[in-house]
Amino acid sequence: MSTPTQHVQSVDTPAGEARITWHPAARPRLVLAVSHGAGGGIEARDLVALAAALPARGITVALVEQPWRVAGKKVAAAPKVLDTGWRALWPALGGPGLPVVAGGRSAGARVACRTAAELGAAGVLALAFPLHPPGRPEKTRLAELLGAGRPTLVVQGGRDPFGGPAEFPAPGAGDTYRLVEVAYGDHGFAVPKRAATTQEEALAVITDAVADWLVDLPV
């Protein structure tokens, strides 16, 4: 059996042209669709690591570039515009005929949380969820996260200024929300050179946790 190859798909949305870079699994069980944050694109280290590691575990990864990023703009669109673009992409993400898990990092995670229930996502992956602006814990976005209405995995850096793991509620018995800490990681999951955890180990924590969660996800 030949190995499926990476390919790029352009999608027209009311917010402009978006792009999906597909990293297909040979025998996929589901699609993990993940978008970038407001400060970067799909070249983020965590997204690259997931796209490299998960297809071998039977998970097709779709890296989504929002229209503002495709257009070369430096400032992210407003949340409502991001949601519009994501909604319009959803039929393409479901094109392979598989369950789709909605995901993203930072602002992309917020989009996934806000739209997961209405789109029928199988779950939500929130990477570096921006629980609050740096130094403003009173501006919490916890309701947005917990209101996703789908099984949710949060992966958070231990020193993320947008909200460290200790600032999130501890999952209770029966909760569909789970939290994984990446020790020493910042908002981009970068770890200091002198940390007890290497950068490679930090990324392995992310890919292993996401893969294990997706394999156990009832779809």
Side-chain angles (χ1 to χ4, degrees):
M1 178 183 295
S2 60
T3 302
T5 57
Q6 173 185 328
H7 60 281
V8 178
Q9 178 182 4
S10 294
V11 181
D12 289 329
T13 82
E17 179 189 351
R19 275 198 302 252
I20 305 171
T21 300
W22 290 93
H23 297 262
R27 295 181 178 178
R29 177 174 177 265
L30 53 79
V31 172
L32 171 64
V34 282
S35 188
H36 51 80
I42 60 172
E43 71 280 0
R45 60 173 58 83
D46 49 341
L47 303 188
V48 171
L50 290 171
L54 296 190
R57 301 283 295 269
I59 299 157
T60 288
V61 177
L63 300 183
V64 176
E65 293 176 87
Q66 281 272 7
W68 70 270
R69 185 75 182 182
V70 175
K73 297 179 181 179
K74 295 182 179 180
V75 178
K80 288 184 178 180
V81 178
L82 296 178
D83 291 356
T84 295
W86 184 255
R87 290 187 183 99
L89 281 157
W90 198 255
L93 295 169
L98 298 167
V100 181
V101 172
R105 64 164 288 100
S106 195
R110 296 185 65 195
V111 174
C113 288
R114 288 193 297 260
T115 59
E118 66 178 275
L119 294 175
V124 174
L125 171 62
L127 301 162
F129 186 84
L131 187 62
H132 56 71
R136 301 292 302 277
E138 73 280 4
K139 299 287 186 179
T140 182
R141 297 161 180 149
L142 182 61
E144 192 173 80
L145 173 67
L146 298 182
R150 291 293 184 271
T152 302
L153 176 66
V154 179
V155 183
Q156 205 75 5
R159 56 189 187 93
D160 191 331
F162 288 83
E167 298 179 64
F168 288 77
D175 281 355
T176 57
Y177 148 80
R178 291 177 55 190
L179 176 68
V180 171
E181 177 177 353
V182 180
Y184 308 104
D186 64 8
H187 193 58
F189 297 115
V191 298
K193 291 183 179 180
R194 295 185 178 181
T197 299
T198 68
Q199 189 64 67
E200 291 73 19
E201 289 170 340
L203 291 175
V205 168
I206 297 171
T207 57
D208 288 348
V210 173
D212 290 346
W213 177 71
L214 289 173
V215 167
D216 291 339
L217 195 66
V219 294

